[in-house]
Amino acid sequence: MADDNSILRLFGFELKRAKSNLENDKDKKLEKLRSVVAPVDDDGAGYITASGSHYGSYIDMDGGQAKDNHQLVMKYRGVATHPEVDAAIEDIVNESIVGSELESPVTLNLDKIEDKEATDKIKELMQEEFMNICSMLKFNDLGHDIFRSFYVDGRIYFHLVADEKNLKLGIQEIRPIDAAKIRKVKEVKYKKDPATDAKIVDKVNEFYIFQNRAGANAGVKLSADSISYVTSGLLDPSKKQIVSYLHKALKPINQLRMLEDSLVIYRLARAPERRIFYIDVGNMPRNKSEAYMKDIMSRYRNKLVYDANTGNLKDDRKHMSMLEDFWLPRREGGRGTEITTLPGGENLGQIDDIVYFQKRMYRALNVPLSRLEQEANFSLGRAQEINRDEVKFQKFIDRLRKRFSMLFTGILKKQLLLKNLITEQDWENWKNNIQVDYQRDNHFTELKNAEILQNRMNTLDQVSQYVGEYFSREWVMKNVMMMNDDDINEMKQQVEDEEAASDDDEDI
């Protein structure tokens, strides 16, 4: 690796911009803060150290971290092919990404941005760039596959391709990267504290190492800005390894596999009925009795078959196995030669233990147990028929969507900064108010909203006779109709406009 420095040169674009006064003040403040501990993020990046006045270039590409990442991802992908696991994953992905021929699965919501600097023109440009990003990702067509890869692998990578000679053109192409071939690395540079002689963290560089072939001794060093990286946010107990949402289900999945295999073997071994031959050997010595037994066995088991193609006789010998007959000698004084049958195994139709591990696997994947029974009827009735597992499942889907939204917001930020449409400070002010909305199942949403509105209207009918005596109109609007101040003002304005319009119509 010492001679491969040319291979590890930084590849990809970097966002270089003049720092604002606020950023300069922030850097000066950080310079005063000293620590011997490297910063830890939830991205599962591997750390390497660089001592002295230069950065180290040696990276252990065959180290345990790289191998563990590759093997872990491949293990998740292998587990995902199990039929029950695949069905559970499909339920999760179908609930998360709802496709439609008329609407996009995701949309950008900028309604909460109230900054005066965020003009309608800037919001329009942000919406346009968001649509361009979805187009480069081909999310309308491949959204289901992209989200499935994110869920199964626990991480997802995209290479943002741009013209390094003219970065103002923005991102030109977005290419997916196999999660088993790339990993994030943080290079930490230390310096000695003259007072305590302790190692103080001086600087942390982030980049990615891409290996076209797993286990290779060489890789390509990619800049952090040229890669879009989103993880599940789940870490192993050591807090150093990113794990997938499938990780906690690995044990019940493996147990289910072993139990299914053992059940098949047991049924094959115990299902057939077998004959037991008790052969009377009289007072024969042991050697002669064994020879006599073998002679009888071969006499009954050998079978001469005529081959019509060749005209020859073929000895179709049948060897005894555990699935076939038993031959047992019987000494003089007992009963004579006897043939009985050994019945097959009983209770072969009981699969309670299989069902137990299937339910345990679904619980580990946060999927309602009702979805395990594929023959169960699906009801589009009242929302109150939904059990608690479905509510928990919907909250889990919302968490997955929130995490996956970082893919869009991360790429959008780099696109807007590359094209100089906004500044770094603008993004910091707006990022908490930028939301990615996902299309939901229209049937369930409409039924739920209709039932909620119906319950509120019924309560309003009962409370309306007490308005003005025990309750105020504003209290009813807030506590019965569940409106906030903005909704109340907007509703009042709409009512006044409609009354004014009706008065004008009467005058005409």
Side-chain angles (χ1 to χ4, degrees):
M1 284 299 296
D3 297 333
D4 293 337
N5 291 334
S6 59
I7 299 178
L8 290 176
R9 288 178 181 175
L10 198 64
F11 180 83
F13 66 88
E14 291 184 282
L15 294 173
K16 297 180 180 179
R17 50 198 174 270
K19 293 186 178 181
S20 62
N21 294 331
L22 181 62
E23 290 176 320
N24 289 327
D25 295 340
K26 185 178 179 181
D27 290 342
K28 291 180 180 179
K29 183 179 179 180
L30 290 175
E31 289 179 358
K32 298 179 181 179
L33 301 176
R34 302 185 304 167
S35 176
V36 296
V37 181
V40 178
D41 298 324
D42 60 350
D43 53 9
Y47 280 89
I48 60 174
T49 59
S51 58
S53 59
H54 64 281
Y55 294 102
S57 60
Y58 179 82
I59 300 175
D60 184 12
M61 300 304 300
D62 287 332
Q65 184 75 12
K67 280 191 174 181
D68 288 345
N69 281 335
H70 178 266
Q71 292 177 358
L72 204 57
V73 171
M74 299 309 295
K75 181 185 294 184
Y76 295 146
R77 294 176 183 177
V79 165
T81 60
H82 194 278
E84 283 80 5
V85 181
D86 179 73
I89 293 175
E90 285 298 315
D91 281 337
I92 294 173
V93 177
N94 290 334
E95 289 288 339
S96 302
I97 305 297
V98 180
S100 174
E101 296 180 357
L102 302 178
E103 299 181 12
S104 175
V106 292
T107 55
L108 186 65
N109 187 349
L110 304 176
D111 295 338
K112 293 186 178 181
I113 299 180
E114 299 178 353
D115 194 344
K116 295 181 180 179
E117 296 183 2
T119 61
D120 294 338
K121 180 64 175 177
I122 293 180
K123 290 184 178 180
E124 184 179 348
L125 291 174
M126 293 175 68
Q127 291 283 1
E128 183 180 348
E129 293 301 333
F130 180 81
M131 297 304 298
N132 290 337
I133 291 172
C134 292
S135 178
M136 287 187 285
L137 287 171
K138 300 179 182 178
F139 199 78
N140 290 346
D141 299 328
L142 304 178
H144 182 278
D145 299 332
I146 294 174
F147 191 89
R148 181 185 173 90
S149 298
F150 162 74
Y151 178 83
V152 173
D153 296 344
R155 69 214 80 192
I156 192 169
Y157 298 84
F158 284 95
H159 186 207
L160 310 180
V161 183
D163 186 359
E164 298 182 26
K165 296 181 180 179
N166 191 2
L167 293 178
K168 292 184 178 180
L169 296 177
I171 301 171
Q172 301 298 309
E173 188 179 355
I174 301 177
R175 299 181 181 179
I177 304 177
D178 188 353
K181 297 181 180 180
I182 188 172
R183 66 187 179 108
K184 188 176 183 180
V185 177
K186 292 186 178 180
E187 188 178 37
V188 184
K189 183 180 179 182
Y190 293 91
K191 65 179 180 180
K192 286 188 177 182
D193 183 18
T196 61
D197 202 28
K199 280 187 175 183
I200 305 298
V201 177
D202 183 34
K203 191 174 183 181
V204 178
N205 287 337
E206 296 183 1
F207 54 90
Y208 295 84
I209 297 295
F210 173 76
Q211 296 172 296
N212 195 26
R213 181 174 57 86
N217 293 327
V220 179
K221 186 177 177 181
L222 302 174
S223 62
D225 289 329
S226 64
I227 299 296
S228 177
Y229 173 47
V230 182
T231 69
S232 63
L234 305 178
L235 296 172
D236 66 348
S238 66
K239 302 296 182 182
K240 296 181 180 179
Q241 187 87 12
I242 287 291
V243 297
S244 169
Y245 296 97
L246 297 176
H247 192 78
K248 63 179 180 179
L250 289 178
K251 184 175 181 180
I253 291 172
N254 292 331
Q255 290 173 333
L256 178 61
R257 281 180 169 178
M258 290 188 294
L259 197 60
E260 289 176 345
D261 293 341
S262 62
L263 180 64
V264 172
I265 295 174
Y266 175 77
R267 289 192 173 186
L268 290 176
R270 295 300 309 275
E273 291 186 354
R274 286 159 289 183
R275 295 173 298 176
I276 303 177
F277 291 81
Y278 294 97
I279 306 301
D280 185 12
V281 295
N283 293 324
M284 295 182 184
R286 180 176 180 180
N287 294 337
K288 289 186 177 180
S289 64
E290 291 179 355
Y292 177 69
M293 283 275 300
K294 291 180 180 180
D295 179 64
I296 294 180
M297 289 171 58
S298 61
R299 187 185 308 169
Y300 283 96
R301 301 183 64 84
N302 286 352
K303 185 178 181 182
L304 297 179
V305 180
Y306 174 76
D307 190 354
N309 295 326
T310 61
N312 297 327
L313 290 176
K314 183 174 64 173
D315 187 4
D316 191 6
R317 187 177 298 272
K318 301 292 185 181
H319 298 280
M320 187 177 70
S321 67
M322 61 178 296
L323 298 181
E324 297 180 2
D325 301 334
F326 291 92
W327 299 76
L328 303 175
R330 175 175 288 174
R331 288 291 181 184
E332 183 182 10
R335 289 174 293 180
T337 300
E338 181 183 357
I339 302 176
T340 60
T341 59
L342 180 66
E346 299 179 356
N347 301 326
L348 295 179
Q350 294 182 358
I351 56 172
D352 295 341
D353 45 0
I354 297 287
V355 175
Y356 166 77
F357 282 105
Q358 286 179 345
K359 292 182 177 180
R360 186 181 176 189
M361 180 196 69
Y362 265 61
R363 289 191 185 98
L365 295 175
N366 297 321
V367 180
L369 296 180
S370 59
R371 296 173 181 253
L372 177 61
E373 301 175 359
Q374 300 295 333
E375 65 276 5
N377 295 328
F378 176 70
S379 175
L380 285 176
R382 295 171 59 85
Q384 64 185 11
E385 297 175 0
I386 300 175
N387 54 26
R388 181 175 296 180
D389 288 342
E390 286 290 341
V391 176
K392 291 172 59 178
F393 181 62
Q394 191 60 45
K395 293 181 179 179
F396 173 66
I397 294 299
D398 291 337
R399 292 198 305 270
L400 287 179
R401 287 173 166 176
K402 192 70 175 178
R403 190 73 187 183
F404 187 71
S405 298
M406 297 173 64
L407 171 66
F408 300 101
T409 55
I411 300 177
L412 180 63
K413 173 187 176 181
K414 295 173 183 178
Q415 180 77 322
L416 296 175
L417 293 178
L418 284 174
K419 291 189 173 184
N420 292 328
L421 299 178
I422 65 172
T423 63
E424 180 81 19
Q425 186 62 40
D426 291 336
W427 181 265
E428 292 296 325
N429 295 335
W430 303 341
K431 66 179 182 180
N432 293 330
N433 296 323
I434 298 176
Q435 295 182 346
V436 178
D437 292 340
Y438 292 81
Q439 186 177 342
R440 295 183 179 272
D441 190 349
N442 294 331
H443 298 287
F444 173 73
T445 304
E446 291 176 3
L447 289 170
K448 181 182 68 174
N449 294 335
E451 182 179 349
I452 291 175
L453 180 60
Q454 182 180 359
N455 291 336
R456 290 177 181 176
M457 295 301 294
N458 294 335
T459 306
L460 181 62
D461 290 339
Q462 298 176 3
V463 176
S464 59
Q465 57 182 331
Y466 302 105
V467 174
E469 184 177 357
Y470 298 104
F471 305 104
S472 64
R473 292 169 59 93
E474 185 175 356
W475 185 91
V476 172
M477 297 179 74
K478 286 185 176 181
N479 295 277
V480 177
M481 302 305 295
M482 307 304 292
M483 296 182 180
N484 54 33
D485 293 336
D486 295 336
D487 295 335
I488 293 175
N489 295 332
E490 182 181 358
M491 194 60 62
K492 287 181 179 180
Q493 184 64 38
Q494 291 179 5
V495 171
E496 292 176 0
D497 294 342
E498 291 176 357
E499 290 178 354
S502 62
D503 292 341
D504 294 340
D505 293 340
E506 292 177 359
D507 293 340
I508 294 174

